[in-house]
Amino acid sequence: MSDVTAPAGGSRLMATYPPQPVTFVRGEGCRLWDDTGREYLDFLSGLAVCSLGHSHPAVADAVSAQARTLLHVSNLFGTLPQREVAATLDRLIGAGPGKVFFCNSGAEANEAAIKLARRWGGRGRHVVVSAYGSFHGRTLATLHATGQPAKHEVFQPLPEGFRHVAWRDLDALAAAIDPSVAAVLLETVQGEGGVNPAGADYLRGVRALCDERAVLLIVDEVQTGLGRTGEWFGFQHYGVRPDVVTIAKALGNGVPIGACWARDDVADAFKPGDHATTFGGQPLATAAAAAVLSVMEAEDVPSRAARAGERLRREASALPGVRGVRGLGLLLAVELEEGKDAGRVAAHALSLGLVVNAVTPTALRLAPPLLVSDAEIDEAASLLARAIAAEGDR
Ligand SMILES: *Cc1c(COP(=O)(O)O)cnc(C)c1O
């Protein structure tokens, strides 16, 4: 193993990540290989990004064909794949008709949503209310929307106009919405916060409250979107129609792309010149996204994620040392029994050839590719059992 005290990946990278224990050089489906040729089963998918698995041939073909056709001309001119992707997203979201703004990441998708909410609200009505335990990105505005005060401190002062309330507390939300509020911004399952679903009662209550106070409901589906939870979008579990939806991670299966969708009457608040990006929506990224969505529809990934998620949940729940499993579809957290450290279990798992991460100090996140097979789930469960047992031996 390489020297873990050396800065991540080499001495000239900023140390924004903890030391990286392995270096991956190749991936195929649910498998990864490191620079020593060792094979791993990937149950993290690059943080819920590679939902179709690594090196998916349809995505690889689309990217290489587009690279030989047209990479980029700027948004001053029309290009093709972005129109198709926008139309497909609008159809899959099913709360429209609406329109899409393309960008390059989840944080940028949320930035676009926040700016859109401010433009829609008008002067004096600009506050965005989000929940404690949330994660919405690392830019200054999305960092402030992220309800984790410990992450804010060293970057103060943060942009004005953000307010936080307790997660799944409707009374707290009702108290926080005054006439300065333009929007409520929530994940449908808090991902980075520990894989905590909003639940139908809460999200329906939030929708009713937003209607009553005439504020926008923005759902951050950056991690939950595109089949991960067993529906195309997390909000579809709860029968709620959001006004704005942000998407990123899985949309390019590893090619960077983000999207902010809004219902027509909200989207129309943006006028030419209000918001822009050099790369957003460019042909390479949207060609990848078009291929991703087409494979996802052909494979019916939401149903596959729901079925595979049931199997994974059942097997993980039965393992010694596991207190419970929570989440939706193939976005699961395995809560360990008292005294077991999730970080150490994740490290044991990696040394056994299974990639997972510690989403809290006591819980592991499982987010395999949505095309994962039953045999791969069984294999991961047995590796996980060994990793948990190894932690117990300490
Ligand atoms: C990952 C994530 C983001 C940020 O996305 P980036 O592409 O890292 O900027 C925002 N919201 C949620 C819910 C996420 O999981």
Side-chain angles (χ1 to χ4, degrees):
M1 197 181 272
S2 56
D3 177 12
V4 292
T5 60
S11 61
R12 307 263 48 98
L13 291 177
M14 288 194 195
T16 52
Y17 297 96
Q20 295 159 329
V22 299
T23 298
F24 289 122
V25 294
R26 189 165 73 84
E28 191 182 320
C30 298
R31 306 276 166 179
L32 284 168
W33 287 267
D34 71 14
D35 56 354
T36 71
R38 191 146 185 247
E39 184 180 318
Y40 299 77
L41 192 52
D42 184 5
F43 266 49
L44 193 56
S45 312
L47 292 170
V49 166
C50 301
S51 281
L52 297 179
H54 298 282
S55 311
H56 193 285
V59 182
D61 288 350
V63 167
S64 74
Q66 193 63 49
R68 291 169 192 284
T69 305
L70 184 70
L71 277 185
H72 184 90
V73 291
S74 92
N75 284 310
L76 299 178
F77 309 100
T79 54
L80 285 179
Q82 59 173 245
R83 296 181 192 169
E84 175 193 340
V85 177
T88 306
L89 289 176
D90 185 49
R91 172 166 54 79
L92 296 176
I93 287 169
K99 298 189 178 82
V100 174
F101 174 84
F102 285 112
C103 51
N104 310 291
S105 68
E108 283 182 46
N110 286 326
E111 282 277 346
I114 292 162
K115 286 181 72 176
L116 180 63
R118 287 187 175 203
R119 195 72 171 90
W120 174 85
R123 283 219 165 235
R125 193 179 174 209
H126 64 276
V127 171
V128 171
V129 182
S130 56
Y132 285 113
S134 64
F135 184 81
H136 299 296
R138 299 287 199 154
T139 63
L140 286 172
T142 60
L143 175 62
H144 205 180
T146 292
Q148 301 184 43
K151 288 190 162 69
H152 297 163
E153 276 328 299
V154 295
F155 297 106
Q156 296 287 6
L158 292 171
E160 200 265 331
F162 295 90
R163 199 171 287 171
H164 305 102
V165 293
W167 175 234
R168 300 184 53 161
D169 183 340
L170 273 179
D171 294 336
L173 184 62
I177 301 179
D178 64 21
S180 70
V181 171
V184 173
L185 167 62
L186 297 172
E187 292 157 274
T188 52
V189 179
Q190 283 193 340
E192 300 308 301
V195 188
N196 298 304
D201 290 350
Y202 178 61
L203 210 65
R204 285 180 195 156
V206 172
R207 177 70 273 180
L209 202 52
C210 289
D211 287 341
E212 183 192 307
R213 310 281 178 92
V215 304
L216 299 176
L217 174 56
I218 305 170
V219 294
D220 178 345
E221 296 269 5
V222 167
Q223 186 156 161
T224 47
L226 301 174
R228 171 64 50 193
T229 65
E231 294 279 357
W232 281 107
F233 292 95
F235 67 82
Q236 292 164 348
H237 287 279
Y238 306 132
V240 162
R241 291 162 76 91
D243 305 301
V244 179
V245 180
T246 57
I247 305 163
K249 291 194 164 89
L251 184 53
N253 206 54
V255 175
I257 179 169
C260 172
W261 173 94
R263 207 181 49 239
D264 275 348
D265 58 300
V266 179
D268 293 345
F270 268 162
K271 305 294 180 220
D274 279 345
H275 196 45
T277 156
T278 296
F279 291 125
Q282 51 102 285
L284 183 72
T286 49
V292 166
L293 293 174
S294 140
V295 174
M296 283 185 162
E297 291 205 86
E299 299 276 356
D300 189 10
V301 290
S303 312
R304 288 190 59 154
R307 264 199 315 277
E310 262 172 53
R311 185 184 188 95
L312 181 56
R313 180 191 292 264
R314 191 172 63 240
E315 294 189 9
S317 305
L319 298 180
V322 169
R323 199 154 70 173
V325 178
R326 60 178 179 270
L328 287 174
L330 282 175
L331 181 57
L332 297 174
V334 175
E335 190 68 40
L336 301 171
E337 272 170 8
E338 194 76 34
K340 291 197 187 284
D341 180 88
R344 284 199 303 259
V345 175
H348 289 310
L350 189 69
S351 71
L352 295 169
L354 174 68
V355 180
V356 296
N357 91 318
V359 71
T360 71
T362 57
L364 296 165
R365 171 170 36 191
L366 305 183
L370 307 183
L371 304 179
V372 65
S373 70
D374 287 353
E376 286 162 336
I377 290 174
D378 300 350
E379 186 185 341
S382 89
L383 290 170
L384 198 55
R386 286 169 58 198
I388 295 170
E391 161 69 359
D393 290 345
R394 282 177 62 90

